[in-house]
Structure formats: C-alpha cells, structure tokens
Amino acid sequence: MSGCGGSGNSAGDSGTLRLVAAEYGDNQATSSKAFWDKVTADFTKTNPGIKVEVQLLPWADIDREVSRMVKSGNAPDMALMGSYSDFAAQDKLYSADELLSVTAEANFLQPLAEAGSVGNTLYGLPWVASSRLLFYNQGLFKQAGVSEPKTWSDLKSAAKALKEKGVKYPYALPLGPEEAHAEAMIWELSNGGGYADSSGNYNLASDQNILTFRWLKDNLVGPGLTGPVPPSQLNRADAFAAFTRGEVGMLNGYPQLLHEARAKGIDVRTAAMPVADNLGAGESPPAVGVADWMMAFKQHGKRVEIGKFLDFVYQDKNLTDFANRYHLLPSTVSASRNPSGAGLDSNDQFFLTALRGAQLYPVNDPSWVTVSDTIKRNIGRAVEPNGDPKTVLDEIAATANEASKKQH
C-alpha cells in the first residue's frame, strides 16, 4: 500500500497522517491503491509539510483491525469503513464541525448526513453511497410474457410464470449471512415496516415485519419461486453471479451489478421495489440506502492537518473519480449534481434519485454492529419450511434490546 513501510511507527510524527481504508477493488487492476496514491501525492504537493500514508484492508477485516488499533492506543488518524458510531459513542472521534468548512459540512446529501450523525452532531462523514432497486431480466420477462411488477402480487405471479419457463431463480432472495440485512430491510420497507420506529428505536419484531416474512415464506419460498438454494444459504455475491449468467428473473441490486450484467449482454431493467398489496401501487416506500464512512480519530491530536486533507479529498473531482471507479454514488450535493466529464449515466441517475429519499440502516446507533450481525446470521431462518417468522424476529429483537442496553 502507499508508503506502507513506516506506517507502524509514524503515529508520533506530526507531519504524517495515517489513513486506514477499505479496499474497494477485487483485483490488482481495480485496487483503490491507484486512487489514494494520486490523491495523497496531489495533496502533499499543495501542502508540502503533510504526508499521508494509506493502508488498505479487506472489508472482511477492517472493522476488527481498526477496533484493535484504537484499543491498543495506536488509532489511525482517519479510517474509511462501514461503521463509525461505536467510536463516536466512546468519544474517540472529531466531529465534522471541528474538521470541515461550513460549506463542506453542509454539502452532504441529507439522508447520509442524518445517518452520519449521533444526536445532532455529524461524526461519520459519508464517502460514497449506493441505493437498491429491483432488477429484472427483460429477456426472461419477455419469454414468460410478464411485465414490470408494481405490487407483491404482481411479483409473485411474474415469479410463477418465470418458473414455468424453467428460470432457475425466478426471484433470488439472498438471506444468507453476507448481506441479509439489506434484503430484509428492502422487503420490510415495502410493507411500511423497517428496523426502527419513527423515534429511532429498534422495532425489529413489529407486526408489519412479521407479516412481511410470513408472506415471503408462504408466497415465494414455499412454492419454490426463490430457486434451488435455500434463501438462508444464498449469499448476495452468488445471487449476483447467477444474475449475470442469466439464471435470475428478479433480484434487488445496486449500480455496479447493473454495469456488470449489461457487460455480459443481459437486458437489465430497474424498477422501484414492488409494494405490499395493502399499501396500494400508488405508495412509494423509501429505497434502502447504504453508505461508507470516513472518520477522524482524536488520539494523536492532528485536527488541523486532518481537516486540510479531508477538505482536499472531498473536492468534487476526487470524490467523483472514486465513485465512478466503482459505479457508486458520491455523497455530496455538488459532486452528484455536477457529474464531471464521464459523470453519472442515466441509470446511475435513477439510483441517485432513490438515494435522495432513501432510508439507511440505523448506523448511528452504536449497537448496530452487533444487531446487523445478528440479523445477517438469523433472519434467513424466518422463511425456512419449519421456521416461524414471529419466533425468529422476536429472538433478533431480544438480542438488539440487550445490545442497546449495553451501549446506552
């Protein structure tokens, strides 16, 4: 990684900042290293006294590794990863107003700024984001003689018709441990439910959520409309790979999958998630939004230097460059309004529109790390043949309440 050499011992060196960042690429050609090498070199050119060393870690390890660094008294100056609120709760982070100019702080898209705030204070600076839309394979839809579903009933009858035409996964339902919490939340929102109530408290076993999983179990999983792999064992990556092979009629996806599937010749269409029949087709529940967070640690007291670097890295051209590399959405109003050069294509614009009104996970609750892990590992059981949605959701809710108590 850039300047890996001395990252372990540079904590006390006032002229060097350490950033630990998640690796977004999946091979050497797509590694984030090229981006960070260029940005840090450009920054040091304009700020000759400050070097920035970047250490890239896999998504699977970064939360654990950064927590370990913080515990051992060797926090990085900055980290870019999927969660921030446990560090905010321990008072380890600078707030945005200690780091950024007022205009830079006001530039974050509203739903992202809200999810990055604990109380009314912004600690998690949103970096890139994505939203989820329903994807369907238009080629398979044509063969089955079905059109874009607007309600759950539409989705069910489309899945039936696809199954009759021999489609392997009429609707792919990835409730396996990789990212079950996204799929679960998409379905819950489309029935007026979700993970938290209007005042932000966990509401995991609400009546709506129980009804949602009952419907899935009885109408999609039971009749064999979700494919050969039980949903509790189907991971997102496998569902996405099957979609790019043309084996999936419908699934929930994000911008990168759209580009990958099109590159493989799949005629992909995107739509808003169909809604529960009792909500009526006129209703449009929020999409699920997902963001990654930049945070700055107070431990080494480098507030001024960190602020300079963040003001630089959040410039439109840098943020847009990073977002475009991975088909993600930039987190700021100006970068998403002003697609520089290559910019967002019209498909990405749909995702951006969805993101503006999206609902994010309750990432600003410090117990979310524990709660999301519990959801990932257990929610799939709610739709198993002998699973009972109410029992499973009650168990998850009990774990969430326990985790919440510990944090507060």
Side-chain angles (χ1 to χ4, degrees):
M1 309 312 165
S2 64
C4 257
S7 66
N9 52 21
S10 59
D13 167 5
S14 64
T16 303
L17 295 175
R18 276 172 65 220
L19 165 64
V20 176
E23 169 61 273
Y24 283 71
D26 49 16
N27 58 46
Q28 215 156 355
T30 60
S31 171
S32 316
K33 182 182 186 309
F35 171 84
W36 292 113
D37 283 354
K38 182 178 180 337
V39 151
T40 53
D42 291 351
F43 172 74
T44 301
K45 245 183 234 139
T46 47
N47 298 270
I50 315 171
K51 285 214 327 257
V52 184
E53 290 178 348
V54 181
Q55 181 186 0
L56 294 176
L57 289 175
W59 279 106
D61 305 337
I62 189 162
D63 285 18
R64 194 178 55 240
E65 280 302 301
V66 172
S67 296
R68 190 184 57 73
M69 291 171 190
V70 173
K71 273 204 185 79
S72 68
N74 189 25
D77 297 297
M78 295 163 286
L80 170 60
M81 50 200 255
S83 61
Y84 70 89
S85 57
D86 40 346
F87 299 123
Q90 301 164 37
D91 195 28
K92 303 277 190 198
L93 301 178
Y94 288 119
S95 59
D97 57 7
E98 296 177 284
L99 299 164
L100 300 175
S101 63
V102 175
T103 43
E105 192 184 346
N107 194 18
F108 293 117
L109 291 166
Q110 192 55 39
L112 304 182
E114 281 172 19
S117 301
V118 177
N120 292 318
T121 307
L122 183 64
Y123 289 103
L125 313 183
W127 175 243
V128 283
S130 70
S131 55
R132 301 299 161 90
L133 294 171
L134 183 77
F135 286 20
Y136 60 94
N137 181 323
Q138 177 60 12
L140 297 178
F141 263 51
K142 262 202 181 120
Q143 285 166 22
V146 289
S147 54
E148 182 180 298
K150 303 282 190 212
T151 63
W152 285 5
S153 299
D154 296 346
L155 186 144
K156 179 187 176 176
S157 47
K160 269 191 165 138
L162 289 159
K163 186 182 182 182
E164 280 159 20
K165 285 280 179 234
V167 174
K168 195 168 173 185
Y169 294 89
Y171 178 89
L173 182 68
L175 293 177
E178 183 193 348
E179 210 206 23
H181 58 304
E183 184 72 18
M185 185 164 154
I186 290 167
W187 278 96
E188 290 174 1
L189 289 173
S190 68
N191 188 23
Y195 288 150
D197 61 23
S198 51
S199 52
N201 300 311
Y202 285 123
N203 198 14
L204 296 157
S206 66
D207 292 347
Q208 282 121 308
N209 291 351
I210 292 166
L211 284 171
T212 297
F213 281 92
R214 233 168 235 152
W215 188 90
L216 280 170
K217 185 184 167 181
D218 297 344
N219 292 275
L220 291 186
V221 184
L225 301 177
T226 52
V229 180
S232 62
Q233 290 163 37
L234 183 65
N235 275 322
R236 181 190 72 181
D238 299 328
F240 281 11
F243 188 77
T244 62
R245 291 195 301 269
E247 298 171 359
V248 174
M250 300 172 272
L251 51 54
N252 282 300
Y254 54 51
Q256 195 168 1
L257 176 63
L258 187 69
H259 292 270
E260 286 170 9
R262 291 221 161 120
K264 295 263 172 78
I266 308 262
D267 182 0
V268 188
R269 305 291 168 93
T270 59
M273 177 65 189
V275 297
D277 295 71
N278 57 0
L279 289 188
E283 288 278 320
S284 56
V288 166
V290 180
D292 302 325
W293 310 98
M294 181 75 83
M295 65 215 73
F297 289 90
K298 297 198 264 193
Q299 191 171 7
H300 307 297
K302 298 184 195 166
R303 183 178 70 81
V304 177
E305 295 88 342
I306 294 170
K308 277 186 182 160
F309 179 67
L310 292 177
D311 267 329
F312 182 84
V313 87
Y314 273 98
Q315 287 172 15
D316 288 357
K317 63 173 198 291
N318 294 328
L319 194 54
T320 310
D321 175 21
F322 190 90
N324 286 348
R325 277 167 194 255
Y326 301 106
H327 298 297
L328 291 162
L329 305 172
S331 59
T332 62
V333 176
S334 56
S336 51
R337 191 178 49 219
N338 170 28
S340 57
L344 298 172
D345 67 20
S346 58
N347 299 304
D348 291 341
Q349 288 291 354
F350 287 125
F351 288 99
L352 190 60
T353 305
L355 183 65
R356 290 195 178 110
Q359 189 157 334
L360 280 80
Y361 306 130
V363 285
N364 44 10
D365 189 311
S367 62
W368 172 243
V369 175
T370 309
V371 173
S372 62
D373 189 55
T374 309
I375 295 169
K376 282 187 218 175
R377 285 183 297 111
N378 294 289
I379 195 80
R381 293 192 291 117
V383 298
E384 285 177 350
N386 52 2
D388 173 50
K390 185 177 183 332
T391 310
V392 173
L393 287 168
D394 281 341
E395 284 168 15
I396 292 171
T399 307
N401 295 337
E402 207 45 50
S404 251
K405 274 196 210 113
K406 276 202 186 105
Q407 290 285 357
H408 295 303

